[in-house]
Amino acid sequence: PPPRPLLAGAMKRIASFMVRRARLVLVLWLVAFGVALAFAGVAQDNIHQPSLRIPGSTSARAADLTTREFGGTISMAVLLKGPPAAVERQGPEVVRQLQKIPGVQVLSPWAIGGARVLREPAGEALLALQVRRPFERISDETAPAVQRVLDENVRPPVTTEITGLAPLVRALNQSSIDSLHKGELLALPILFLMLLLIFRSPIAALVPALSGLVVTRTGIALMGLVNEGVDVDALALNLVTMIGLALGVDYSLLVVSRFREELARGLDRREAAVEACSRPRRSVLTAGAALSAAMLCAALVAPGSLLVSSAMGVVVATIVAVLVALTAMPAGLALLGDNVNRWRWGSDQARTGHENFWVRTSERLVASPALAAFLVLLPLAALTAPALALNTGPPNVQNLPPD
């Protein structure tokens, strides 16, 4: 027989090793998944504001001039509201505690001794905070410290409202993370139903869905490590989830489909797992390498650090998806064996007709590339049309949910 290409032989040896050590490989992935679930919150709790500053631009020079001539103070404001007597009783103590926060100076209606020297509407007191610290430290340390002081020293019936760029950015990041979790909860059931229609077996449909879940959770946890060297923002975590779920499902879908075909040809579960995971190697590795290279080039070409965090998110998600497809999938499928088709519905004749329908459809589309392009681009254009109504700009309180 002709010699196999070097990459093909390497992929087959990797798949064979994973099949022989199937239980050990799955145990290691389960441990990694458990650790990822435990540490995923680290990345989410330490996200940063994306830097839109472009070195050498007019806005960057203006910011440097402002800092040099007027200092680097950033303003925050706290409004106390409630019955006048309660505001007058709690307000001075709140001011004293806020003054203890490093870098914070408070302009309040009360003098040092506690007597009110500024007059405002009854039952209201506005505290102006000037913070002389870098913005990142204000967002990560000062804003949470201010909130802790308010939580510990303000009691009903007095209420508080806090505003400023740092609290706003922090609230936007938290809102983005909350939306991310809601999106996952909506996407996974829909994804499982679509896979169920494709495979007509709940076990076969569950494998790619679990693969996508492992990729996203592991990727988010790894972004916590990336955060030690690169400032990770909320967009990067969103990209890890979106790209990780898409690639995790896509790559594993190829492997599961090929595995079922090999079983139908009469191979045993181990041989089928090796063949299934070694044959799609070109698609998985080429797609993963191309996507990672494209994002790294974009991060290098883009001015400043605008795309660095996002590029790292895509690269991490891609690497994890490829690793899951090349290591966890052969081990899991080797243990599943024929159970991958358990509870499969539809007769063989109906399934053959269903598969022939898609084969005939794909052949027609390949024969008419213009029609295929139109049928693909039309729904994509409809899905992207809402982007025309986007109103871009700096962070704004209107970006937050009404509640």
PDB file of all heavy atoms in Angstrom, residues 106 168 222 374 395:
ATOM      1  N   VAL A 106     -13.986  63.462  48.843  1.00  0.00           N
ATOM      2  CA  VAL A 106     -15.441  63.603  48.814  1.00  0.00           C
ATOM      3  C   VAL A 106     -15.826  65.057  49.056  1.00  0.00           C
ATOM      4  O   VAL A 106     -15.392  65.674  50.043  1.00  0.00           O
ATOM      5  CB  VAL A 106     -16.107  62.700  49.878  1.00  0.00           C
ATOM      6  CG1 VAL A 106     -17.626  62.802  49.783  1.00  0.00           C
ATOM      7  CG2 VAL A 106     -15.647  61.255  49.701  1.00  0.00           C
ATOM      8  N   LEU A 168     -20.674  52.788  35.641  1.00  0.00           N
ATOM      9  CA  LEU A 168     -21.443  52.472  34.437  1.00  0.00           C
ATOM     10  C   LEU A 168     -20.795  51.338  33.664  1.00  0.00           C
ATOM     11  O   LEU A 168     -21.473  50.390  33.233  1.00  0.00           O
ATOM     12  CB  LEU A 168     -21.559  53.721  33.563  1.00  0.00           C
ATOM     13  CG  LEU A 168     -22.236  53.523  32.192  1.00  0.00           C
ATOM     14  CD1 LEU A 168     -23.667  53.025  32.372  1.00  0.00           C
ATOM     15  CD2 LEU A 168     -22.206  54.815  31.401  1.00  0.00           C
ATOM     16  N   LEU A 222     -10.091  29.154  31.011  1.00  0.00           N
ATOM     17  CA  LEU A 222      -8.747  29.465  30.528  1.00  0.00           C
ATOM     18  C   LEU A 222      -8.551  30.963  30.326  1.00  0.00           C
ATOM     19  O   LEU A 222      -7.434  31.472  30.459  1.00  0.00           O
ATOM     20  CB  LEU A 222      -8.483  28.721  29.214  1.00  0.00           C
ATOM     21  CG  LEU A 222      -8.295  27.199  29.328  1.00  0.00           C
ATOM     22  CD1 LEU A 222      -8.151  26.579  27.955  1.00  0.00           C
ATOM     23  CD2 LEU A 222      -7.083  26.882  30.200  1.00  0.00           C
ATOM     24  N   PHE A 374     -27.199  32.314  -3.529  1.00  0.00           N
ATOM     25  CA  PHE A 374     -28.385  33.136  -3.251  1.00  0.00           C
ATOM     26  C   PHE A 374     -29.157  32.596  -2.050  1.00  0.00           C
ATOM     27  O   PHE A 374     -29.561  33.365  -1.162  1.00  0.00           O
ATOM     28  CB  PHE A 374     -29.292  33.166  -4.490  1.00  0.00           C
ATOM     29  CG  PHE A 374     -30.598  33.865  -4.257  1.00  0.00           C
ATOM     30  CD1 PHE A 374     -30.673  35.257  -4.243  1.00  0.00           C
ATOM     31  CD2 PHE A 374     -31.775  33.137  -4.046  1.00  0.00           C
ATOM     32  CE1 PHE A 374     -31.875  35.904  -4.021  1.00  0.00           C
ATOM     33  CE2 PHE A 374     -32.983  33.772  -3.841  1.00  0.00           C
ATOM     34  CZ  PHE A 374     -33.032  35.160  -3.818  1.00  0.00           C
ATOM     35  N   PRO A 395     -19.968  54.115  26.234  1.00  0.00           N
ATOM     36  CA  PRO A 395     -20.907  53.528  27.197  1.00  0.00           C
ATOM     37  C   PRO A 395     -21.925  54.556  27.675  1.00  0.00           C
ATOM     38  O   PRO A 395     -21.580  55.700  27.957  1.00  0.00           O
ATOM     39  CB  PRO A 395     -19.992  53.061  28.338  1.00  0.00           C
ATOM     40  CG  PRO A 395     -18.664  52.860  27.689  1.00  0.00           C
ATOM     41  CD  PRO A 395     -18.562  53.898  26.618  1.00  0.00           C
TER      42      PRO A 395
END
